[in-house]
Structures are given as C-alpha cells and as structure tokens.
Amino acid sequence: AHLYTMAMVDGLTGLFVRRYFDARVDEEIERARRYGQAFAVVMIDIDDFKHLNDTHGHLIGDRVLREVAAAVKGELRGVDTAARYGGEELVIILPRTELVAAFALAERIRARITDRRIAVAADGPVLSVTASFGIAAYPDSGLGSAEDLVRRADRALYRAKRSGKNRVELYWADDSGTHRAIA
C-alpha cells in the first residue's frame, strides 16, 4: 500500500500523479459512452508561477503549490479526481458533471485560490496567487477520445491565459459541429 501511494500520489501536493490521471480519464470516457453520462475535465494553471519561483525561490513555489492543491481538494466530492498534471498545472476529473456545473465548481476553486494569502517569511511579504482554468466536458465539448477532451480543456485554459488570467474558460461544440473556446 505504501509503495502504491508513493507511485500514484504526488509527494508535494498530495494529489494524484499524471499517470493515474491518464488512466482515470480513459476509464471515465468509456463509462460516459457506455452509460450516456456527462463528465468534465478541468485544467488549472497557476498564473505567473515562473516569475514567483524566480522572485521568491522554489521553496515558496512549493508552498504555493501545496496551498493551491488544498484549495482544490476543499471543493471536490469523493468521486472527483484531482492530479498534478505538470509543474504548476493541476487537472480534475468530474464524473457525472456537465459543462455548466463544472464551471460553477471551477469558479469556487478560483475564488478560494484568490482569497488565500501566503506568507513568504514570518516578517516578509504576503503573496496573493491567482490561477487560470480551462474546462471541457463530454459530450458538451464534442465527442472523441480522452486525449481530445484533455486537449480541448487545455485550449480553453490557454484562452483564459490570453484573456487576462485569473478566469475560467469553457470549450464547447455548437450544433454545427464547430468547436470553440468560450468565456
């Protein structure tokens, strides 16, 4: 059990690792297809994280990652899966969740992150951190593979970054089959 935990849980954030997420999202898309259920993927990227690390050091960056992970975990249901996707990127799988409900959850997490204050040192400055979010949902964001769905959430995330950061963007498919990232 200890070895499994070490292999599947990120030691810094306490979230699952990317490998676990990849397996779970494949399972979830198969379940959604089989039972006709919706599910959503939320990608999160901490805004200006490289600058934060360069300015305050990696130990403070680690503290920020832990705080953001705690904010994410504080809003999740027992059936949801949160993972560390990359350096400062996190991802969430929300079973039986449509695009609009995923948006509401992401907004709550975004607000929690924005409200946190992280002390650099006992007598030092206090940091405010923000994050950008991209959401794609099956089938709202179009049909395809798990990889397609993650790619669409990532596109919505980068639209959030380009649109000013500290925001949530959705990726959806309209009736014509056209796919767009929207606010």
Side-chain angles (χ1 to χ4, degrees), residues 2-141:
H2 178 67
L3 290 176
Y4 177 81
T5 300
M6 287 178 55
M8 294 299 169
V9 176
D10 178 62
L12 179 65
T13 63
L15 302 176
F16 288 105
V17 296
R18 166 87 181 263
R19 174 178 41 247
Y20 183 83
F21 166 80
D22 289 341
R24 282 287 298 120
V25 75
D26 285 336
E27 292 170 7
E28 199 58 46
I29 203 157
E30 289 306 315
R31 184 181 352 272
R33 283 186 180 134
R34 181 173 185 177
Y35 298 109
Q37 297 176 339
F39 85 99
V41 171
V42 180
M43 295 201 75
I44 306 166
D45 186 81
I46 300 171
D47 296 328
D48 303 313
F49 191 75
K50 181 182 181 335
H51 177 71
L52 183 143
N53 266 339
D54 291 346
T55 304
H56 300 286
H58 291 281
L59 292 177
I60 299 303
D62 288 351
R63 187 178 305 158
V64 167
L65 279 167
R66 283 190 299 273
E67 288 287 329
V68 169
V72 168
K73 286 189 270 189
E75 289 294 333
L76 298 185
R77 306 168 297 180
V79 297
D80 301 331
T81 301
R84 187 170 177 190
Y85 194 75
E88 75 277 6
E89 292 178 323
L90 309 177
V91 66
I92 307 168
I93 300 171
L94 302 170
R96 297 179 300 282
T97 304
E98 295 177 352
L99 204 54
V100 173
F103 182 85
L105 173 77
E107 275 295 334
R108 287 194 309 271
I109 294 170
R110 189 196 61 72
R112 263 188 184 228
I113 292 168
T114 302
D115 289 345
R116 288 191 184 258
R117 300 295 175 256
I118 302 162
V120 173
D123 57 347
V126 176
L127 300 176
S128 296
V129 178
T130 62
S132 297
F133 294 71
I135 303 172
Y138 177 90
D140 298 329
S141 299

Side-chain angles (χ1 to χ4, degrees), residues 104-180:
L105 173 77
E107 275 295 334
R108 287 194 309 271
I109 294 170
R110 189 196 61 72
R112 263 188 184 228
I113 292 168
T114 302
D115 289 345
R116 288 191 184 258
R117 300 295 175 256
I118 302 162
V120 173
D123 57 347
V126 176
L127 300 176
S128 296
V129 178
T130 62
S132 297
F133 294 71
I135 303 172
Y138 177 90
D140 298 329
S141 299
L143 304 177
S145 67
E147 184 178 308
D148 293 334
L149 191 65
V150 171
R151 186 178 302 114
R152 291 169 184 160
D154 196 43
R155 285 179 60 191
L157 169 65
Y158 279 94
R159 180 181 168 110
K161 292 285 194 186
R162 287 190 309 273
S163 299
K165 303 177 185 172
N166 192 29
R167 57 185 293 127
V168 179
E169 293 280 342
L170 303 174
Y171 188 100
W172 65 285
D174 64 21
D175 292 336
S176 69
T178 304
H179 297 79
R180 293 184 255 180

